[in-house]
Amino acid sequence: MIWRNIISIADLTNDEIEQIFELADSTHQLRADKVAAGRIMATLFYEPSTRTRLSFESAMQRLGGSVVSCSDMKSSSTAKGETVADTAKVVSSYADVLVVRHHWDGAVQAMAEHADVPMINAGDGSHEHPTQTLCDLYTLKKEKGDLKGLTVVICGDLKNGRTIHSLVYALARFGANVVTLAANGMELPQYVIERLQREYQYSLAPVASDDLRAVVTETDALYLTPKQPHQLALFTQMDSAVQSQLATMVSGLRYDAFYMTRKQKERMKEGTTGGSYPTIGADFLRKQRFKDTVVMHPLPRVDELSPEVDKDRRGIYFKQAAYGVPVRMALLKFVFDRMDGKAKPAKKTVQWFQSPDPFGPQCSNANCITVTEPGSATKKFEVLSNGPGAALLLRCSYCDHRFKVQLIGHAKSKRYCAYDISLADTLKDWLKKHELAIFNSIKEAEELGYEPYKSGPQRTIMDDVEILAGVRELSQQIARDCSDLDRLLILGIRSKGSYLAQRIAAELEERQKRKPEVGEVEIYGSGEEIRRIAPADAEMAPMVLKDRTIILVDDVIYTGRTVNSALSIIFRSGRPQSVRLAVLIDRGHREVPLKPNYVGKHIPSSERERVRVKLREVEHDEEDKVVIYSIIGPTEA
Ligand code: NCD
């Protein structure tokens, strides 16, 4: 039998969501028809819940069905070490539909793969909470009419809040705009922003912060919209131009709703929960600007909403919670209607990559089910052959996190090579034929019996003396322009940019007898994106970007997309006074209108060539050098 699981908001099309809303408008009929008569729903909650579980159970009973429930999984066989896969298999023989909440990202999908009945995700880790999104959209529609063109401000813990992640994808699909207003360190993850860009062509712009002063926060608001304006072209030779760019940020937006969320303390590392948190209170309510702005919250709230909001007509979160029952009645009816074996899944069909070899790539998210309980999940990834920096990225099918991989192989001929964008078509072809292999390291590839493809002869275009001179030249220029060492922050793009940033900082130290602060930005990671390298003092307060003069450092600039990603991370984490770009090598071919302020050497090159900076820190015994070579890919080898 085929049925429909509701694991992600992507499991429902816009039309289907509208259908569910229509059903939710006529719950008296659903009740009269007893659409769940004779059916049993099982609820398995591995995490606390009030609204989601009780409204699901109430919905099922109102439809004439019955419920078996395990509200505290510690009293189940889970406590004896039963896997989620086994629990799902067993319980699905006791019930006709399973509603599950779990603390691991992707756990509900893994359970769905082992269950014999439809599975509904009631929240999985920090990943998604699609049925909350249905309640949120239903509430917004009731209050504001059409979703298209609305501007919704999402507020608070955007990093760990699963309701936020499902909601932003849905808002994007319905053509609404999103403004992010994150607590410091809890910004919307880069993988979510990239997905909004990739799948819905959303772009980012900073919002003039005066607009949102009534809601206290240290980080900048960002505007995500399917249209311009854009934050590109921020780099110019002149700081004043950067300043005027920042001055033309989006202002005068009409805010239709604020969606506040609680700090997800249980999902944070200890000691990372500090800092101020946005709040909505009297100040907000007094502002003419927000006179028609409704305030929503998935609840539970802690102290981010003050009591005045409860009494105000704009505070609609209790109504939003009450809609939980009709919306979930409608969803259950929708799911039962699709248990006849004819239903097709709504999701876009992705050609998943599964490693033909043992090991294979590993999801970078430590809370992903493929990491926490690998035996319950079969690793599958979407292959994104043109990520930022033209990198090859894999998106985990369970938790959505994406990470970079560099080595690919052809399983039939047992050859491997470093991925390059010129191999994108070949890669797609191998994927289609199930002949694609991906490795974590050369060692892994060779142990599996793969041999390298060839590359053309390498030509050294810069030796260690020239590289040293290049770094000195960059440092001198930076020292000339940025005399205020307290303001200066040298930020390298991981990993070679970080080493160059440290070398530049050492040069500056020698010159000025004081070391500037050095940090690094990780654009492919899914954890901490910006961190301090020096001074290397674990006790120090987190790095502050506000009002700093940032020198962003990378080894080679090519398309400019890497820098663009780093830039979006920086602007999500605080507003510096200016950002300038320093690169050892500029090889042209820009896709994004960026112009470095400081360049060690211009090296015109063709798109078929690779320019590699080899640094002692990475290559260990080798001397510093920059080499260029052409790629003799699988097609010519
Ligand atoms: C949310 C959840 O569990 O993700 N609650 C809910 O389902 N309404 C929000 C939260 O816990 O903060």
Side-chain angles (χ1 to χ4, degrees), residues 51 151 154 195 203 236 252 281 285 300 313 329 377 402 423 428 433 454 551 578:
R51 270 153 296 276
T151 297
I154 51 169
R195 188 162 165 201
S203 59
T236 65
L285 297 174
R313 68 181 158 83
M329 285 170 79
R402 51 83 184 109
L423 298 175
K428 280 189 193 120
K433 296 185 186 140
K454 286 201 177 61
I551 308 291
S578 63

Side-chain angles (χ1 to χ4, degrees), residues 545-597:
L545 302 191
K546 191 170 186 295
D547 294 335
R548 303 295 291 271
T549 300
I550 295 181
I551 308 291
L552 188 61
V553 183
D554 207 1
D555 59 341
V556 181
I557 186 164
Y558 181 44
T559 62
R561 286 195 279 160
T562 303
V563 172
N564 197 41
S565 290
L567 195 61
S568 98
I569 292 171
I570 291 172
F571 280 99
R572 266 189 297 124
S573 312
R575 170 116 35 98
Q577 188 193 48
S578 63
V579 184
R580 300 178 202 194
L581 179 62
V583 295
L584 185 63
I585 289 162
D586 183 349
R587 57 171 294 202
H589 302 291
R590 212 81 78 239
E591 285 173 17
V592 175
L594 294 175
K595 195 166 175 205
N597 305 68

Side-chain angles (χ1 to χ4, degrees), residues 45 47-53 101 122-125 128-129 131-132 136 160-164 259 261-264 266-267 297-302 304 321 328:
F45 278 63
E47 272 195 342
S49 167
T50 305
R51 270 153 296 276
T52 308
R53 185 171 67 85
R101 169 170 291 185
D124 62 325
E128 283 214 40
H129 193 344
T131 71
Q132 178 64 44
D136 300 340
N160 304 297
R162 55 194 171 202
T163 67
I164 290 287
Y259 188 95
T261 54
R262 123 191 115 84
K263 192 191 283 179
Q264 306 277 307
E266 71 276 30
R267 301 190 208 289
H297 196 306
L299 303 178
R301 59 169 153 177
V302 187
E304 54 281 351
R328 289 181 172 110

